[in-house]
Amino acid sequence: NGQSDIFLISLRRNSIKRLTKDIYDDINPKFIPGTSSIIFSSNRTSDSLKIEKKVNLEDLKDVYNLFVYSIDTTRNLLYRVTNTLSRNVNPTPTSTTEIYFISNQQGINNLYKFDIGRKLYTQVTNFRSSIQDYDLGPNKSGISFTMLDNGITSIYYYPNFNLNQNTFT
């Protein structure tokens, strides 16, 4: 019906479980290492999976925030990680306390890091062109990403990129 939902596929049980089912788009789900929780990006306005009121498609904004959902719970509540008026997408959790994601908070897609324990996010990159997609090397040993270069998607790799830096725009 036009919305993106999250499903959990169990190969061991040969089953599929639908985790989200509402008008909101839920994208880029990833498991948080060492937990039974997933983090994903969504344009939902509520921290609940159960939406009581009718939402009109025209009322949905292009604002995406990050949410965590424990698949071992029977509650329909989510933990909101970010709460901005920007597009926060493609989260990559590297531990239970650290998440990288792409955000257009400054108008250009750059990489950000969120520290769950301190509830603090910092900007890691400050590129002139928007990052389209990225991947972190093993043990955060570097970063590879795609971005437009003169209208052509190009792939870049920085093997010794400091993912702990705090960059200001």
Side-chain angles (χ1 to χ4, degrees):
N1 292 331
Q3 76 264 12
S4 301
D5 291 316
I6 299 174
F7 293 81
L8 179 64
I9 300 172
S10 174
L11 298 177
R12 188 177 301 161
R13 295 186 193 135
N14 196 22
S15 66
I16 298 175
K17 178 182 177 184
R18 187 179 206 149
L19 300 180
T20 62
K21 183 180 180 180
D22 52 32
I23 193 169
Y24 300 107
D25 287 323
D26 303 317
I27 58 174
N28 310 126
K30 292 195 179 131
F31 278 98
I32 297 174
T35 72
S36 61
S37 296
I38 57 170
I39 185 165
F40 62 95
S41 182
S42 180
N43 63 341
R44 62 184 59 246
T45 55
S46 170
D47 294 349
S48 173
L49 292 178
K50 255 197 184 343
I51 308 302
E52 302 297 330
K53 65 177 186 160
K54 178 90 168 124
V55 178
N56 294 323
L57 195 57
E58 303 84 38
D59 295 335
L60 295 180
K61 306 277 189 266
D62 194 32
V63 172
Y64 282 75
N65 281 291
L66 304 180
F67 295 87
V68 172
Y69 177 67
S70 172
I71 61 173
D72 286 342
T73 186
T74 57
R75 299 175 60 196
N76 290 320
L77 293 178
L78 302 170
Y79 171 73
R80 183 185 293 263
V81 176
T82 61
N83 191 17
T84 65
L85 295 175
S86 53
R87 187 175 168 88
N88 303 318
V89 294
N90 202 359
T92 300
T94 57
S95 69
T96 57
T97 60
E98 190 175 74
I99 299 163
Y100 291 86
F101 62 97
I102 294 175
S103 182
N104 65 353
Q105 291 181 41
Q106 304 295 332
I108 294 176
N109 288 346
N110 272 293
L111 189 66
Y112 285 74
K113 179 174 80 170
F114 184 78
D115 184 322
I116 292 177
R118 296 181 356 189
K119 294 185 178 9
L120 182 69
Y121 63 87
T122 55
Q123 186 174 342
V124 177
T125 64
N126 186 21
F127 296 126
R128 292 181 301 167
S129 295
S130 287
I131 296 175
Q132 295 173 320
D133 201 2
Y134 74 100
D135 195 17
L136 304 178
N139 300 318
K140 301 188 309 182
S141 59
I143 182 173
S144 57
F145 56 93
T146 59
M147 69 173 43
L148 289 178
D149 182 16
N150 292 323
I152 298 171
T153 299
S154 298
I155 302 171
Y156 299 92
Y157 175 63
Y158 287 93
N160 299 315
F161 191 84
N162 181 5
L163 290 164
N164 293 315
Q165 69 184 349
N166 188 359
T167 304
F168 295 101
T169 54

